[in-house]
Amino acid sequence: MRLLIMGPPGVGKGTQAKGIAEHYGVPAISTGDMFRAMKGADTPLAKQVQEIMNSGALVPDEITDAIVKDRLSQPDAAGGWLLDGYPRALGQVYALDAVLASGEDAIDAVISLTADEEVLVARLLKRAEIEGRADDNAETIKNRMKVYHESTDPLLAIYRDRGLLVEVDGVGGIEEVAGRITAALDAKLA
Ligand code: AMP
Protein backbone atom coordinates (compact mmCIF):
# COMPACT_ATOMS: atom_id res chain seq x y z
CA MET A 1 0.00 0.00 0.00
CA ARG A 2 1.43 3.34 -1.05
CA LEU A 3 -0.50 6.34 0.18
CA LEU A 4 -0.20 10.09 0.47
CA ILE A 5 -2.09 12.11 3.05
CA MET A 6 -2.62 15.78 2.35
CA GLY A 7 -4.50 18.60 3.98
CA PRO A 8 -4.15 22.06 5.48
CA PRO A 9 -2.16 22.69 8.68
CA GLY A 10 -4.07 21.51 11.76
CA VAL A 11 -6.40 19.12 9.96
CA GLY A 12 -4.96 16.17 11.88
CA LYS A 13 -2.78 14.70 9.12
CA GLY A 14 -0.04 13.52 11.48
CA THR A 15 -2.40 11.80 13.91
CA GLN A 16 -4.38 10.12 11.16
CA ALA A 17 -1.22 9.18 9.24
CA LYS A 18 0.06 7.15 12.20
CA GLY A 19 -3.25 5.29 12.66
CA ILE A 20 -3.78 4.60 8.96
CA ALA A 21 -0.18 3.45 8.47
CA GLU A 22 -0.55 1.07 11.39
CA HIS A 23 -3.84 -0.21 9.97
CA TYR A 24 -2.13 -1.13 6.68
CA GLY A 25 1.18 -2.22 8.27
CA VAL A 26 3.33 0.36 6.50
CA PRO A 27 5.62 3.09 7.91
CA ALA A 28 4.22 6.63 8.22
CA ILE A 29 6.86 8.94 6.80
CA SER A 30 6.44 12.57 7.83
CA THR A 31 8.73 15.20 6.35
CA GLY A 32 7.68 17.58 9.16
CA ASP A 33 8.80 14.99 11.76
CA MET A 34 12.07 14.41 9.89
CA PHE A 35 12.77 18.14 9.86
CA ARG A 36 11.80 18.48 13.54
CA ALA A 37 14.26 15.67 14.33
CA MET A 38 17.03 17.93 13.03
CA LYS A 39 16.20 20.44 15.76
CA GLY A 40 19.16 21.38 17.93
CA ALA A 41 21.74 19.82 15.60
CA ASP A 42 24.64 22.20 15.24
CA THR A 43 24.99 22.11 11.45
CA PRO A 44 24.31 24.83 8.87
CA LEU A 45 21.61 22.66 7.24
CA ALA A 46 19.82 22.02 10.54
CA LYS A 47 19.89 25.73 11.37
CA GLN A 48 18.57 26.66 7.93
CA VAL A 49 15.72 24.15 8.24
CA GLN A 50 14.88 25.40 11.74
CA GLU A 51 14.64 29.01 10.61
CA ILE A 52 12.46 28.14 7.64
CA MET A 53 10.10 26.03 9.76
CA ASN A 54 9.79 28.77 12.36
CA SER A 55 8.64 31.18 9.66
CA GLY A 56 6.04 28.75 8.30
CA ALA A 57 7.64 28.67 4.84
CA LEU A 58 8.54 25.52 2.93
CA VAL A 59 11.99 23.94 3.10
CA PRO A 60 13.54 24.08 -0.41
CA ASP A 61 12.60 21.22 -2.72
CA GLU A 62 16.16 20.00 -3.25
CA ILE A 63 16.58 19.35 0.49
CA THR A 64 13.09 17.86 0.94
CA ASP A 65 13.24 15.69 -2.17
CA ALA A 66 16.63 14.30 -1.15
CA ILE A 67 15.55 13.27 2.35
CA VAL A 68 12.36 11.64 1.03
CA LYS A 69 14.23 9.76 -1.70
CA ASP A 70 16.70 8.51 0.88
CA ARG A 71 13.94 7.48 3.31
CA LEU A 72 11.99 5.59 0.63
CA SER A 73 15.10 3.59 -0.22
CA GLN A 74 15.30 2.15 3.30
CA PRO A 75 14.31 -1.50 3.77
CA ASP A 76 11.18 -0.88 5.86
CA ALA A 77 9.71 1.19 3.01
CA ALA A 78 10.09 -1.58 0.43
CA GLY A 79 6.62 -3.01 1.09
CA GLY A 80 4.73 0.27 1.11
CA TRP A 81 4.45 3.56 2.96
CA LEU A 82 2.24 6.47 3.83
CA LEU A 83 3.76 9.86 3.09
CA ASP A 84 2.54 12.57 5.44
CA GLY A 85 3.21 16.16 4.34
CA TYR A 86 4.94 15.31 1.07
CA PRO A 87 4.61 16.33 -1.71
CA ARG A 88 3.72 19.89 -0.79
CA ALA A 89 4.86 21.79 -3.87
CA LEU A 90 4.62 21.12 -7.60
CA GLY A 91 8.30 20.26 -8.02
CA GLN A 92 7.95 17.65 -5.26
CA VAL A 93 5.14 15.91 -7.18
CA TYR A 94 7.47 15.41 -10.12
CA ALA A 95 10.40 14.46 -7.88
CA LEU A 96 8.24 11.74 -6.32
CA ASP A 97 7.07 10.62 -9.77
CA ALA A 98 10.73 10.26 -10.78
CA VAL A 99 11.57 8.19 -7.68
CA LEU A 100 8.59 5.90 -8.33
CA ALA A 101 9.25 5.63 -12.07
CA SER A 102 12.67 4.16 -11.35
CA GLY A 103 11.06 1.18 -9.57
CA GLU A 104 7.90 -0.92 -9.67
CA ASP A 105 6.04 1.21 -7.16
CA ALA A 106 3.01 3.40 -7.77
CA ILE A 107 0.76 5.48 -5.54
CA ASP A 108 -2.47 3.64 -4.69
CA ALA A 109 -4.42 6.61 -3.33
CA VAL A 110 -4.10 10.17 -2.07
CA ILE A 111 -6.12 11.00 1.03
CA SER A 112 -7.24 14.63 1.19
CA LEU A 113 -8.43 15.66 4.66
CA THR A 114 -10.68 18.72 4.62
CA ALA A 115 -11.89 21.21 7.24
CA ASP A 116 -12.92 24.85 7.60
CA GLU A 117 -10.02 27.22 8.09
CA GLU A 118 -11.54 28.72 11.28
CA VAL A 119 -11.70 25.27 12.88
CA LEU A 120 -8.09 24.67 11.90
CA VAL A 121 -6.68 27.91 13.29
CA ALA A 122 -8.44 27.26 16.61
CA ARG A 123 -7.00 23.72 16.70
CA LEU A 124 -3.49 24.95 15.96
CA LEU A 125 -3.58 27.62 18.65
CA LYS A 126 -4.71 24.95 21.13
CA ARG A 127 -1.90 22.62 20.00
CA ALA A 128 0.55 25.48 20.53
CA GLU A 129 -0.50 25.64 24.19
CA ILE A 130 -0.28 21.89 24.69
CA GLU A 131 2.79 20.89 22.68
CA GLY A 132 4.66 24.18 22.51
CA ARG A 133 5.60 23.68 18.86
CA ALA A 134 7.71 26.64 17.74
CA ASP A 135 5.74 26.95 14.51
CA ASP A 136 2.30 27.03 16.19
CA ASN A 137 2.15 30.77 16.96
CA ALA A 138 -0.46 33.07 15.41
CA GLU A 139 1.88 34.66 12.88
CA THR A 140 3.40 31.39 11.66
CA ILE A 141 0.00 29.72 11.51
CA LYS A 142 -1.23 32.50 9.22
CA ASN A 143 1.77 32.06 6.98
CA ARG A 144 1.46 28.25 6.91
CA MET A 145 -2.18 28.60 5.80
CA LYS A 146 -1.14 31.01 3.04
CA VAL A 147 1.67 28.72 1.91
CA TYR A 148 -0.75 25.79 1.93
CA HIS A 149 -3.25 27.61 -0.29
CA GLU A 150 -0.59 28.83 -2.70
CA SER A 151 1.70 25.81 -2.96
CA THR A 152 -0.06 22.66 -1.77
CA ASP A 153 -3.78 23.04 -2.46
CA PRO A 154 -3.18 23.09 -6.26
CA LEU A 155 -1.60 19.62 -6.05
CA LEU A 156 -4.97 18.10 -5.19
CA ALA A 157 -6.19 18.78 -8.75
CA ILE A 158 -3.24 16.82 -10.15
CA TYR A 159 -4.03 13.75 -8.09
CA ARG A 160 -7.75 14.16 -8.80
CA ASP A 161 -6.97 14.13 -12.53
CA ARG A 162 -4.94 10.98 -12.02
CA GLY A 163 -7.97 9.36 -10.38
CA LEU A 164 -6.18 8.90 -7.06
CA LEU A 165 -7.87 11.45 -4.79
CA VAL A 166 -10.00 10.31 -1.86
CA GLU A 167 -11.58 13.28 -0.07
CA VAL A 168 -12.47 12.82 3.59
CA ASP A 169 -14.10 15.22 6.06
CA GLY A 170 -11.44 15.79 8.73
CA VAL A 171 -13.78 17.30 11.34
CA GLY A 172 -14.70 14.92 14.15
CA GLY A 173 -13.14 12.63 16.73
CA ILE A 174 -9.88 10.80 15.92
CA GLU A 175 -11.57 7.39 15.68
CA GLU A 176 -14.47 8.80 13.70
CA VAL A 177 -12.20 10.39 11.08
CA ALA A 178 -9.97 7.28 10.97
CA GLY A 179 -13.08 5.19 10.27
CA ARG A 180 -14.07 7.50 7.44
CA ILE A 181 -10.60 7.26 5.91
CA THR A 182 -10.39 3.47 5.96
CA ALA A 183 -13.97 3.16 4.64
CA ALA A 184 -13.20 5.59 1.80
CA LEU A 185 -9.94 3.77 0.97
CA ASP A 186 -11.61 0.35 1.07
CA ALA A 187 -14.28 1.62 -1.33
CA LYS A 188 -11.69 3.18 -3.61
CA LEU A 189 -9.32 0.22 -3.71
CA ALA A 190 -11.94 -2.55 -3.79
P1 AMP B 1 4.18 19.62 9.22
O1 AMP B 1 4.53 18.98 10.49
O2 AMP B 1 3.88 18.64 8.12
O3 AMP B 1 3.13 20.68 9.35
O4 AMP B 1 5.51 20.40 8.71
C1 AMP B 1 6.11 21.40 9.50
C2 AMP B 1 7.02 22.27 8.65
O5 AMP B 1 8.06 21.46 8.05
C3 AMP B 1 6.38 22.96 7.46
O6 AMP B 1 5.73 24.17 7.85
C4 AMP B 1 7.58 23.21 6.56
O7 AMP B 1 8.37 24.28 7.03
C5 AMP B 1 8.37 21.92 6.76
N1 AMP B 1 7.95 20.89 5.78
C6 AMP B 1 7.31 19.72 6.05
N2 AMP B 1 7.08 19.02 4.92
C7 AMP B 1 7.58 19.76 3.91
C8 AMP B 1 7.63 19.59 2.50
N3 AMP B 1 7.13 18.50 1.88
N4 AMP B 1 8.24 20.57 1.76
C9 AMP B 1 8.77 21.64 2.36
N5 AMP B 1 8.73 21.88 3.66
C10 AMP B 1 8.14 20.95 4.46
Side-chain angles (χ1 to χ4, degrees), residues 9-10 13 30-33 35-36 49 52-61 64 68 84-89 92 127 133 135 140 144 147:
K13 263 183 300 126
S30 155
T31 41
D33 281 353
F35 289 138
R36 273 185 289 280
V49 165
I52 294 169
M53 284 180 85
N54 289 349
S55 75
L58 293 181
V59 175
D61 286 355
T64 312
V68 172
D84 160 18
Y86 181 92
R88 217 146 155 148
Q92 297 179 9
R127 185 168 79 184
R133 262 178 58 159
D135 60 349
T140 306
R144 282 163 63 209
V147 168

Side-chain angles (χ1 to χ4, degrees), residues 3-8 11-13 16 20 82-85 87 107-115 120 148 152-160 164-171 177 180-182 184-185 188:
L3 300 168
L4 311 183
I5 187 162
M6 300 178 63
V11 78
K13 263 183 300 126
Q16 291 300 335
I20 300 303
L82 188 164
L83 279 176
D84 160 18
I107 298 166
D108 293 294
V110 177
I111 305 155
S112 162
L113 280 182
T114 59
L120 297 177
Y148 177 80
T152 311
D153 207 30
L155 308 188
L156 297 176
I158 296 179
Y159 290 116
R160 186 179 292 116
L164 294 173
L165 202 67
V166 175
E167 280 179 290
V168 177
D169 177 5
V171 181
V177 175
R180 277 181 213 146
I181 296 174
T182 45
L185 284 175
K188 164 100 189 145

Side-chain angles (χ1 to χ4, degrees), residues 21-39:
E22 197 171 313
H23 180 86
Y24 291 107
V26 295
I29 298 174
S30 155
T31 41
D33 281 353
M34 288 194 277
F35 289 138
R36 273 185 289 280
M38 293 167 78
K39 196 173 166 183

Side-chain angles (χ1 to χ4, degrees), residues 112-133:
S112 162
L113 280 182
T114 59
D116 262 7
E117 194 158 319
E118 273 171 41
V119 176
L120 297 177
V121 173
R123 270 194 198 174
L124 285 167
L125 288 170
K126 196 166 159 211
R127 185 168 79 184
E129 275 174 37
I130 299 167
E131 294 180 17
R133 262 178 58 159

